[in-house]
Amino acid sequence: MSDEMFSARIVPVVVLHDAKDAEPLGRALIAGGLPVAEVTFRTAAAVESIRAMSAIEGLIVGAGTVLNPAQVEQALEAGASFIVSPGLRRDVVFAAQAAGIPVLPGAVTPSEIMAAQELGLDTVKFFPANVYGGAGAIKALSAPFGGMRFVPTGGVSVSNLSDYLSLGCVPAVGGSWMVPVDAIREGAFAQVSELCAGAVAAAAAIGK
Ligand code: 3PG
């Protein structure tokens, strides 16, 4: 799987209620040194937001909370370059694989991880990480599943970042703390850039 979206080791999980915010948000992410966004299909603005952000040079834009193959097609058509799903659905994985783009399905149990392996995947989303045992659970799962990588999301913050990023099987974490919905709604994009810069600095300070 191409690891481009993991370069900064943090993937901002973005919820946009209004597609007009997508472009300034994308620029704020770049300004903060975090040129990647997982735009979630939790709002009706997702597709247009992905389209607007995909047009920004240097920004890696993916789709999150993708629940079915129809949403994979919508995301692809809008320009998404990776797909994230909270769970493992074969037809979602197949649709992304057919398009040749990375797909990160959710898997938190041994059986789900084995199902991901069966589909040829070596990286899964571990969500909600804070509920399913956090870094301790990932560490335990990495014993039987040596080749598997985990991207924890859900409850990740600057305060527990090092618990996750210090694990060799964690290429990156996902989180929304640097893209607060209120800040976006208020147009406080400088604040978003600052939060991104803080997140990037915190990740860079953590050894692997
Ligand atoms: C996700 O969809 O990955 C999570 O909702 C992000 O979790 P967080 O808001 O706790 O960072």
Side-chain angles (χ1 to χ4, degrees), residues 144-159:
F145 301 112
M148 188 54 71
R149 300 186 308 168
F150 301 86
V151 177
T153 309
V156 181
S157 67
V158 170
S159 63

Side-chain angles (χ1 to χ4, degrees), residues 13 38 40 42 65 84 125 127 130 153-156 174-177:
V13 177
E38 174 190 327
T40 61
R42 294 183 194 183
T65 322
V84 183
K125 170 170 166 140
F127 170 79
N130 52 343
T153 309
V156 181
S176 65
W177 79 88

Side-chain angles (χ1 to χ4, degrees), residues 56-86:
I56 301 175
E57 200 174 325
L59 189 66
I60 303 159
V61 184
T65 322
V66 173
L67 304 180
N68 55 57
Q71 288 178 330
V72 177
E73 296 312 322
Q74 285 181 291
L76 289 169
E77 185 274 326
S81 62
F82 65 94
I83 298 292
V84 183
S85 181

Side-chain angles (χ1 to χ4, degrees), residues 67-199:
L67 304 180
N68 55 57
Q71 288 178 330
V72 177
E73 296 312 322
Q74 285 181 291
L76 289 169
E77 185 274 326
S81 62
F82 65 94
I83 298 292
V84 183
S85 181
L88 183 80
R89 212 177 122 156
R90 294 165 66 89
D91 52 5
V92 166
V93 172
F94 291 151
Q97 287 174 333
I101 64 169
V103 57
L104 209 60
V108 295
T109 66
S111 297
E112 290 163 358
I113 294 163
M114 288 165 73
Q117 283 181 325
E118 190 186 359
L119 298 175
L121 301 172
D122 65 4
T123 313
V124 294
K125 170 170 166 140
F126 189 78
F127 170 79
N130 52 343
V131 175
Y132 282 102
I138 294 174
K139 207 170 168 184
L141 287 164
S142 72
F145 301 112
M148 188 54 71
R149 300 186 308 168
F150 301 86
V151 177
T153 309
V156 181
S157 67
V158 170
S159 63
N160 59 16
L161 196 58
S162 69
D163 297 347
Y164 292 112
L165 288 186
S166 57
L167 299 177
C169 59
V170 173
V173 302
S176 65
W177 79 88
M178 74 301 287
V179 283
V181 169
D182 287 347
I184 295 170
R185 191 182 293 128
E186 290 157 17
F189 295 110
Q191 185 194 339
V192 171
S193 294
E194 259 175 52
L195 288 165
C196 288

